[in-house]
mmCIF file with all atom_site columns, all heavy atoms in Angstrom:
data_model
loop_
_atom_site.group_PDB
_atom_site.id
_atom_site.type_symbol
_atom_site.label_atom_id
_atom_site.label_alt_id
_atom_site.label_comp_id
_atom_site.label_asym_id
_atom_site.label_entity_id
_atom_site.label_seq_id
_atom_site.pdbx_PDB_ins_code
_atom_site.Cartn_x
_atom_site.Cartn_y
_atom_site.Cartn_z
_atom_site.occupancy
_atom_site.B_iso_or_equiv
_atom_site.pdbx_formal_charge
_atom_site.auth_seq_id
_atom_site.auth_comp_id
_atom_site.auth_asym_id
_atom_site.auth_atom_id
_atom_site.pdbx_PDB_model_num
ATOM 1  N N   . ASP W 1 148 ? 18.442 82.673 34.726 1.00 76.00 ? 167 ASP W N   1
ATOM 2  C CA  . ASP W 1 148 ? 17.586 83.788 34.325 1.00 76.00 ? 167 ASP W CA  1
ATOM 3  C C   . ASP W 1 148 ? 16.111 83.434 34.481 1.00 76.00 ? 167 ASP W C   1
ATOM 4  O O   . ASP W 1 148 ? 15.266 83.905 33.780 1.00 76.00 ? 167 ASP W O   1
ATOM 5  C CB  . ASP W 1 148 ? 17.902 84.259 32.915 1.00 76.00 ? 167 ASP W CB  1
ATOM 6  C CG  . ASP W 1 148 ? 17.987 83.120 31.940 1.00 76.00 ? 167 ASP W CG  1
ATOM 7  O OD1 . ASP W 1 148 ? 17.492 82.010 32.284 1.00 76.00 ? 167 ASP W OD1 1
ATOM 8  O OD2 . ASP W 1 148 ? 18.520 83.312 30.864 1.00 76.00 ? 167 ASP W OD2 1
ATOM 9  N N   . THR W 1 163 ? -3.118 85.224 40.229 1.00 94.00 ? 182 THR W N   1
ATOM 10 C CA  . THR W 1 163 ? -3.302 85.428 38.791 1.00 94.00 ? 182 THR W CA  1
ATOM 11 C C   . THR W 1 163 ? -1.948 85.374 38.079 1.00 94.00 ? 182 THR W C   1
ATOM 12 O O   . THR W 1 163 ? -1.779 84.698 37.070 1.00 94.00 ? 182 THR W O   1
ATOM 13 C CB  . THR W 1 163 ? -3.969 86.797 38.530 1.00 94.00 ? 182 THR W CB  1
ATOM 14 O OG1 . THR W 1 163 ? -5.089 86.895 39.395 1.00 94.00 ? 182 THR W OG1 1
ATOM 15 C CG2 . THR W 1 163 ? -4.398 86.946 37.101 1.00 94.00 ? 182 THR W CG2 1
ATOM 16 N N   . GLY W 1 218 ? 7.827  84.924 57.761 1.00 90.00 ? 237 GLY W N   1
ATOM 17 C CA  . GLY W 1 218 ? 6.983  85.448 58.834 1.00 90.00 ? 237 GLY W CA  1
ATOM 18 C C   . GLY W 1 218 ? 7.820  86.143 59.883 1.00 90.00 ? 237 GLY W C   1
ATOM 19 O O   . GLY W 1 218 ? 8.851  85.642 60.298 1.00 90.00 ? 237 GLY W O   1
ATOM 20 N N   . LYS W 1 230 ? 0.055  82.537 66.005 1.00 67.00 ? 249 LYS W N   1
ATOM 21 C CA  . LYS W 1 230 ? 0.712  81.247 66.201 1.00 67.00 ? 249 LYS W CA  1
ATOM 22 C C   . LYS W 1 230 ? -0.063 80.210 65.401 1.00 67.00 ? 249 LYS W C   1
ATOM 23 O O   . LYS W 1 230 ? 0.455  79.154 65.085 1.00 67.00 ? 249 LYS W O   1
ATOM 24 C CB  . LYS W 1 230 ? 0.671  80.871 67.684 1.00 67.00 ? 249 LYS W CB  1
ATOM 25 C CG  . LYS W 1 230 ? 1.967  81.130 68.389 1.00 67.00 ? 249 LYS W CG  1
ATOM 26 C CD  . LYS W 1 230 ? 2.060  80.206 69.585 1.00 67.00 ? 249 LYS W CD  1
ATOM 27 C CE  . LYS W 1 230 ? 3.316  80.450 70.354 1.00 67.00 ? 249 LYS W CE  1
ATOM 28 N NZ  . LYS W 1 230 ? 3.105  80.437 71.777 1.00 67.00 ? 249 LYS W NZ  1
ATOM 29 N N   . SER W 1 274 ? 28.571 89.752 51.486 1.00 89.00 ? 293 SER W N   1
ATOM 30 C CA  . SER W 1 274 ? 28.089 89.266 50.197 1.00 89.00 ? 293 SER W CA  1
ATOM 31 C C   . SER W 1 274 ? 27.006 88.207 50.375 1.00 89.00 ? 293 SER W C   1
ATOM 32 O O   . SER W 1 274 ? 26.852 87.337 49.549 1.00 89.00 ? 293 SER W O   1
ATOM 33 C CB  . SER W 1 274 ? 29.264 88.685 49.427 1.00 89.00 ? 293 SER W CB  1
ATOM 34 O OG  . SER W 1 274 ? 29.924 87.744 50.251 1.00 89.00 ? 293 SER W OG  1
ATOM 35 N N   . SER W 1 315 ? 33.360 78.885 84.692 1.00 94.00 ? 334 SER W N   1
ATOM 36 C CA  . SER W 1 315 ? 33.386 78.971 86.135 1.00 94.00 ? 334 SER W CA  1
ATOM 37 C C   . SER W 1 315 ? 34.737 79.500 86.584 1.00 94.00 ? 334 SER W C   1
ATOM 38 O O   . SER W 1 315 ? 35.762 79.271 85.935 1.00 94.00 ? 334 SER W O   1
ATOM 39 C CB  . SER W 1 315 ? 33.144 77.581 86.709 1.00 94.00 ? 334 SER W CB  1
ATOM 40 O OG  . SER W 1 315 ? 33.397 77.606 88.088 1.00 94.00 ? 334 SER W OG  1
ATOM 41 N N   . LYS W 1 440 ? 24.343 54.016 66.279 1.00 85.00 ? 459 LYS W N   1
ATOM 42 C CA  . LYS W 1 440 ? 24.148 54.908 65.135 1.00 85.00 ? 459 LYS W CA  1
ATOM 43 C C   . LYS W 1 440 ? 24.910 56.230 65.273 1.00 85.00 ? 459 LYS W C   1
ATOM 44 O O   . LYS W 1 440 ? 24.906 57.036 64.364 1.00 85.00 ? 459 LYS W O   1
ATOM 45 C CB  . LYS W 1 440 ? 22.653 55.158 64.910 1.00 85.00 ? 459 LYS W CB  1
ATOM 46 C CG  . LYS W 1 440 ? 21.985 55.998 65.951 1.00 85.00 ? 459 LYS W CG  1
ATOM 47 C CD  . LYS W 1 440 ? 20.524 56.208 65.594 1.00 85.00 ? 459 LYS W CD  1
ATOM 48 C CE  . LYS W 1 440 ? 19.849 57.074 66.629 1.00 85.00 ? 459 LYS W CE  1
ATOM 49 N NZ  . LYS W 1 440 ? 18.412 56.949 66.650 1.00 85.00 ? 459 LYS W NZ  1
#
Side-chain angles (χ1 to χ4, degrees):
D167 48 17
T182 311
K249 259 205 182 138
S293 52
S334 170
K459 70 178 181 201

